[in-house]
Amino acid sequence: AQSVTQLGSHVSVSEGALVLLRCNYSSSVPPYLFWYVQYPNQGLQLLLKYTSAATLVKGINGFEAEFKKSETSFHLTKPSAHMSDAAEYFCAVSESSASKIIFGSGTRLSIRP
Amino acid sequence: GAGVSQSPSNKVTEKGKDVELRCDPISGHTALYWYRQSLGQGLEFLIYFQGNSAPDKSGLPSDRFSAERTGGSVSTLTIQRTQQEDSAVYLCASSFDRGNTDTQYFGPGTRLTVL
């Protein structure tokens, strides 16, 4: 069975500050890991995905995530927050890139001017 | 190119009525998924179609829910005798299902409100 835990349902940072959204996973098989973003009143958009290649994954909009097997973590970071980054972020896991995705509960990111 | 489309975008129905939600996947995508997003349950997997294989129905919450995919393309999710707890945004996604390079692309969703 697979599961994902996102620590913090709401994170608030100042514009220009580091963004860190935490995600821990549980999987009995080598996982595929994803971060999706959902902007207000819009659909889900893939930010980045880990598929057992490089452990540091770079995504769109300056985001990146690092797969750490020893910590079962896949935290999402961005060096400098922008107002347009305000959205809901979902960490997710699957057994392959094409099987059902198990989503975390989501973290709402707010950006303070 | 065109993305995943879903219709209707909003649906309001009365408790006990049946509803049908439609998903048009990206052309050529062989895999199709249904999820729902609700306040209480977050994002949940419902059902997965892959080519001609039997669908993975492990996420369907009750036998009131069913889905079909005709001709390997368009899919319809049917909810019979709707209940208020069925109120949610129903999301459809599709992918090529060719292994490591595949990505699920999501549609805008159908917001279902059961009164």
Side-chain angles (χ1 to χ4, degrees), chain A residues 32 34 36 38 41-44 46 49 51-52 90 97-105, chain B residues 31 33 35 37 43 45 48 56 58 91 95 97-104 106-108:
Chain A
Y32 288 74
F34 311 83
Y36 279 86
Q38 188 172 37
N41 300 313
Q42 293 187 29
L44 281 169
L46 181 69
K49 65 180 179 183
T51 59
S52 76
F90 294 92
S97 191
S99 61
K100 65 185 180 186
I101 294 177
I102 307 301
F103 287 90
S105 54
Chain B
Y33 315 76
Y35 298 85
Q37 186 174 21
L43 266 163
F45 163 79
Y48 159 50
D56 176 354
S58 59
L91 298 169
S95 74
D97 198 14
R98 292 179 305 191
N100 294 349
T101 60
D102 297 324
T103 294
Q104 292 185 30
F106 283 78

Side-chain angles (χ1 to χ4, degrees), chain B residues 54-72:
Chain B
D56 176 354
K57 304 179 182 180
S58 59
L60 294 178
S62 78
D63 58 8
R64 296 186 295 105
F65 288 72
S66 63
E68 63 177 19
R69 189 179 184 193
T70 54

Side-chain angles (χ1 to χ4, degrees), chain B residues 15-108:
Chain B
K15 178 181 173 181
K17 300 282 190 181
D18 297 351
V19 296
E20 284 189 353
L21 312 179
R22 177 188 169 104
C23 171
D24 283 87
I26 293 172
S27 179
H29 279 189
T30 56
L32 186 148
Y33 315 76
W34 283 98
Y35 298 85
R36 74 174 176 181
Q37 186 174 21
S38 58
L39 282 176
Q41 302 297 323
L43 266 163
E44 306 171 274
F45 163 79
L46 296 177
I47 187 169
Y48 159 50
F49 296 90
Q50 166 46 22
N52 296 321
S53 302
D56 176 354
K57 304 179 182 180
S58 59
L60 294 178
S62 78
D63 58 8
R64 296 186 295 105
F65 288 72
S66 63
E68 63 177 19
R69 189 179 184 193
T70 54
S73 181
V74 172
S75 176
T76 302
L77 177 69
T78 301
I79 309 173
Q80 295 177 309
R81 306 181 302 281
T82 52
Q83 303 294 312
Q84 288 183 331
E85 61 263 28
D86 299 335
S87 296
V89 176
Y90 288 81
L91 298 169
C92 178
S94 70
S95 74
F96 277 115
D97 198 14
R98 292 179 305 191
N100 294 349
T101 60
D102 297 324
T103 294
Q104 292 185 30
Y105 295 89
F106 283 78

Side-chain angles (χ1 to χ4, degrees), chain A residues 87-110:
Chain A
E88 185 97 17
Y89 291 80
F90 294 92
C91 183
V93 64
S94 74
E95 293 183 350
S96 77
S97 191
S99 61
K100 65 185 180 186
I101 294 177
I102 307 301
F103 287 90
S105 54
T107 297
R108 183 163 60 90
L109 176 64
S110 300

